[in-house]
């Protein structure tokens, strides 16, 4: 069963996700992330996770793959996960 995930882009180099990112939709997330990084043309892409309620290791892997090209905006729910996983050491993580 696929978990609900909504992805939107813009304005500017922004990819916003809402819902849950898990192994059922992580490939969709990773593909959208790679496309948005490419479209950002060398500018850092802001990945807005403030509306994400769940992020598993498959979603984290997609973020780690693009860590050199992204900045992450998150809320208090995911902030500890991004810190503990080490992603916050590889890219800018901003708390909303």
């Amino acid at each position: 069963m696929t978990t609900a995930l909504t992805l939107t882009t813009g304005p500017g180099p922004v990819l916003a996700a809402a819902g849950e990112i898990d192994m059922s939709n992580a490939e969709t997330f990773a593909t959208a992330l790679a496309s948005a990084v490419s479209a950002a043309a060398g500018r850092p892409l802001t990945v807005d996770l403030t509306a994400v309620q769940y992020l598993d290791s498959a979603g984290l892997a997609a973020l780690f793959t693009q860590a050199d090209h992204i900045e992450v905006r998150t809320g208090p729910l995911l902030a500890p996960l991004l810190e503990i996983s080490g992603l916050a050491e590889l890219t800018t993580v901003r708390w909303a």
Side-chain angles (χ1 to χ4, degrees), residues 2-95:
T2 302
T3 305
L5 173 65
T6 304
L7 299 167
T8 55
T9 57
V14 175
L15 175 66
E20 297 183 0
I21 304 172
D22 62 19
M23 67 182 219
S24 72
N25 57 27
E27 187 173 329
T28 300
F29 176 64
T31 300
L33 186 56
S35 293
V37 164
S38 180
R43 296 178 293 165
L45 172 73
T46 299
V47 180
D48 186 346
L49 301 178
T50 55
V52 172
Q53 295 108 17
Y54 179 79
L55 177 70
D56 76 0
S57 60
L60 273 174
L63 293 169
F64 271 96
T65 299
Q66 299 293 341
D68 291 342
H69 310 289
I70 64 173
E71 296 179 352
V72 179
R73 185 180 316 139
T74 187
L77 183 64
L78 296 182
L81 175 64
L82 300 179
E83 189 71 36
I84 291 168
S85 70
L87 185 67
E89 295 177 21
L90 299 176
T91 191
T92 303
V93 176
R94 300 185 195 285
W95 286 257

